[in-house]
Amino acid sequence: MIPHISGPSRRPPFCTATVLIITISWSHVPRVRALLAPVRDLLPTIDTKSQGRLDSPLHLTAYLLNPFYFYKDQTIQNDSSIMEAVIECVERFYPEDVDAQDYVINKELLMYKNKVGMFGKIVAVKGCEANNDNYDPGKVWLF
């Protein structure tokens, strides 16, 4: 129970409670660290096992082609691993069609990067202005 303080130096009860909570919290830090040690030791294993899952060519291509990320930070196109992933993804999608690969990489991707054609429509450009958590790139294509 928190003691009631009266008189001219009276502090609101929440101040006393806050000091009490901070004191209790700091006294338990060594115990909490000991309890979390196994989790801390697992993090490198989790990092190792997750490699190659979200950084596959398909995921990196989706990252580049997501207007929320690309138009907010166009320097991602300068990342060689992302561009290599895009090329690999296009090669897998059109395995025997070099002309289609060339068209997607050298024509359509440039149109996207430079906001040409449908990517340059006023509604598409306006949709890319507000890059926040409510941004929905699919709204551009709804009629």
Side-chain angles (χ1 to χ4, degrees):
M1 178 167 180
I2 300 170
H4 181 70
I5 301 172
S6 62
S9 65
R10 182 179 174 189
R11 288 187 286 170
F14 67 86
C15 289
T16 306
T18 304
V19 170
L20 202 60
I21 290 170
I22 291 172
T23 304
I24 292 170
S25 297
W26 281 109
S27 68
H28 290 295
V29 166
R31 186 170 177 203
V32 171
R33 288 186 62 163
L35 287 171
L36 293 177
V39 174
R40 185 183 64 228
D41 296 339
L42 272 176
L43 291 177
T45 304
I46 292 169
D47 286 342
T48 301
K49 291 192 179 263
S50 67
Q51 287 294 324
R53 298 211 176 164
L54 293 177
D55 56 352
S56 71
L58 183 60
H59 285 97
L60 292 174
T61 300
Y63 173 63
L64 179 79
L65 296 178
N66 186 327
F68 177 83
Y69 298 111
F70 182 76
Y71 293 126
K72 183 167 58 171
D73 178 19
Q74 292 191 12
T75 62
I76 63 175
Q77 67 184 318
N78 300 331
D79 186 326
S80 62
S81 63
I82 292 175
M83 294 313 297
E84 287 173 18
V86 170
I87 292 170
E88 184 177 340
C89 193
V90 171
E91 287 174 341
R92 285 185 187 180
F93 196 75
Y94 299 105
E96 302 295 325
D97 193 347
V98 177
D99 292 332
Q101 294 173 14
D102 176 60
Y103 184 77
V104 169
I105 292 170
N106 295 317
K107 301 273 190 311
E108 289 185 340
L109 189 58
L110 285 176
M111 290 172 58
Y112 170 71
K113 289 179 179 180
N114 297 323
K115 296 183 182 179
V116 175
M118 290 294 288
F119 302 111
K121 296 280 185 185
I122 294 171
V123 69
V125 172
K126 185 141 183 79
C128 296
E129 288 174 359
N131 284 333
N132 58 37
D133 291 336
N134 298 323
Y135 177 68
D136 181 7
K139 286 183 181 177
V140 172
W141 308 112
L142 296 177
F143 296 102

